[in-house]
């Protein structure tokens, strides 16, 4: 699905990632951990083609990202659900309209019944008509997750999805991610929350990657 | 869990929704389009009126001349006969006639008022000459008139009509140039407004890209909004301009050019072309600006 081969990424003369090689297999669940500023977000941006590697090769769905046109990148992102820590929405549109945005931008329409079901799944049915600024941090995180999965993507990339919420809400979001993984979705979650990782590993087979000294290493046994 | 299935969509109106409906550039675009179209209506009126005037004067210049006869009273009839004889035997003249006192009075009436005693005044006798195709030799005709009717002078209108026709033609070109400049200015202002709107909405664009929007989709959303705003502003501007032109005094012979500054006949059609034309300008300007800005925002 997503493959990194000897990938390096530099910005402003300083190297953020170096010699990264890994493969996210279909249906796998990965955590990506590391201290703040270690390059977790950069790694995710490379994984959804917002950034291009300085050297090495990133392959998305068997296609080299450097060979993708701008339209190809857009089409590829429709196969990837992205959840950001800051959970950006279009503030002038209702929560329901924001959640169906992936359909809107691809000139398709969502099924209202399915949308209602999805809102219920993330516990936001009562807020369908609310505007994003009216939502709490946890509600925004769940809404972002719902938006990421509404088009039934193959991969879900989440950058600190529990960064702004309490432990109870973190567990709820984790549960949603685990459910998605059980449905066959490939999941990659960047987080520095080790408790969350331990909690997940008790429920599913999850691999833990750690970024240290610009390199991505397999962790796990010590967690 | 069951996920929503894709369905055929109506993309046109939905694309509009993703751009915030209001912003600092909204009124600017509408106002600019309105003001520019208003000015454009007047430039168009000026251009069309100048064109009509230039055509009329050029036509007259090309085809007519006047022979003016000033002679002592006892010589008038003799020289009149001589002039008519010369004109009748000059090749290249389609027709000619002596202008009678009633016509002369009518010609002078706008300046001297009604009831002018033409007979009592030393007013020269006038002859209208209409040129054939090909025309006559004006220098030869002058010499023959000088020889046979010494009081007769050929005035082929060149002296005063040509500069006027040229001035009218240049005025028409100025009008066309003004319309082009107004269009270019509107395009430039809408481009700036579109770029400002795109920069203001950089976060919106980022969200749209994250969920898989193509540049063409994002551009379309902005282009539609700016095109519709421009169409609305230009429609109001054109209506106001038309009302202004319609309120000008009607053309009459005494008023000359100023009262003829307006539309006539099919000319009334052109102002209605301006709003869609302005919308087309906005469409092209915004589309170009949008794709440029989207490349920059990558």
């Amino acid at each position: 699905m997503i493959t990194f081969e000897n990938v390096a990424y530099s910005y402003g003369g300083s190297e953020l990632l170096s010699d990264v090689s890994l493969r996210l297999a279909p249906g796998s669940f990965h955590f990506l951990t590391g201290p703040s500023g270690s390059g977790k977000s950069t790694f995710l941006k490379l994984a959804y083609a917002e950034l291009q590697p300085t050297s090495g090769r990133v392959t998305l769905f068997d296609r080299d990202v450097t060979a993708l046109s701008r339209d190809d990148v857009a089409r590829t992102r429709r196969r990837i659900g992205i959840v950001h820590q800051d959970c950006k929405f279009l503030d002038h549109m209702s929560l329901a309209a924001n959640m169906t945005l992936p359909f809107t931008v691809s000139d398709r329409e969502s099924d209202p019944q399915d949308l209602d079901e999805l809102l219920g799944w993330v516990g936001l049915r009562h807020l369908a008509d609310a505007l994003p600024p009216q939502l709490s941090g946890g509600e925004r995180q769940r809404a972002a997750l719902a938006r990421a999965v509404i088009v039934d993507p193959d991969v879900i990339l989440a950058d600190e999805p529990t960064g702004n919420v309490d432990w109870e809400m973190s567990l709820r979001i984790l549960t949603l991610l685990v459910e998605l993984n059980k449905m066959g979705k490939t999941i990659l979650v960047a987080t520095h929350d080790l408790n969350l990782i331990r909690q997940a590993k008790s429920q599913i087979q999850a691999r833990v990657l750690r970024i240290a000294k610009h390199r991505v290493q397999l962790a796990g046994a010590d967690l | 869990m069951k996920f929503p299935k894709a369905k055929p969509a109506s993309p046109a109106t939905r694309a509009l929704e993703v751009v915030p409906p209001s912003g600092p550039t909204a009124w600017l675009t509408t106002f600019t389009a309105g003001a520019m179209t208003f000015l454009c209506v007047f430039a168009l009126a000026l251009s069309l009126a100048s064109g009509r005037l230039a055509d009329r004067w050029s036509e007259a210049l090309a085809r007519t001349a006047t022979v003016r006869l000033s002679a002592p009273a006892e010589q008038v009839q003799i020289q009149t006969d001589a002039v008519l004889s010369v004109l009748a035997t000059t090749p290249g003249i389609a027709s000619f006639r002596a202008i009678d006192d009633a016509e002369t009075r009518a010609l002078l009436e706008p300046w001297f008022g009604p009831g002018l005693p033409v007979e009592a005044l030393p007013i020269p006798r006038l002859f209208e000459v209409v040129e054939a195709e090909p025309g006559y030799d004006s220098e030869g005709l002058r010499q023959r008139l000088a020889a046979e009717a010494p009081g007769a002078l050929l005035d082929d209108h060149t002296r005063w009509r040509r500069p006027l026709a040229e001035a009218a033609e240049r005025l028409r070109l100025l009008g066309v140039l003004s319309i082009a400049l107004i269009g270019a200015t509107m395009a430039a202002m809408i481009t700036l407004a579109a770029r400002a709107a795109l920069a203001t909405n950089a976060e919106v664009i980022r969200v749209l890209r994250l969920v898989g929007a193509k540049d063409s989709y994002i551009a379309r959303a902005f282009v539609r909004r700016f095109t519709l705003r421009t169409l609305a502003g230009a429609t109001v501007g054109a209506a106001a301009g038309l009302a202004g032109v319609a309120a000008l005094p009607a053309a009459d012979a005494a008023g000359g050019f100023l009262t003829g500054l307006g539309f006539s006949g099919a000319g009334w059609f052109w102002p209605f072309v301006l709003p869609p034309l302005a919308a087309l300008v906005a469409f092209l300007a915004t589309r170009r600006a949008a794709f440029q800005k989207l490349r920059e925002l990558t």
Side-chain angles (χ1 to χ4, degrees), chain A residues 70 75 78 92 107 114 183, chain B residues 4 9 17 212 214-215 220:
Chain A
R70 297 166 72 85
R75 275 189 285 268
R78 292 174 193 170
H92 63 285
D107 291 336
D114 291 339
M183 291 165 60
Chain B
E17 295 169 7
K214 292 181 186 175
D215 281 359
R220 191 171 75 205

Side-chain angles (χ1 to χ4, degrees), chain B residues 69-83 123-125 127 149:
Chain B
L69 174 64
S70 299
E74 67 277 10
Q75 285 282 311
V76 168
Q77 193 52 51
I78 297 167
Q79 291 203 26
T80 297
D81 293 342
V83 168
I123 294 172
R125 199 76 199 271
F127 303 84

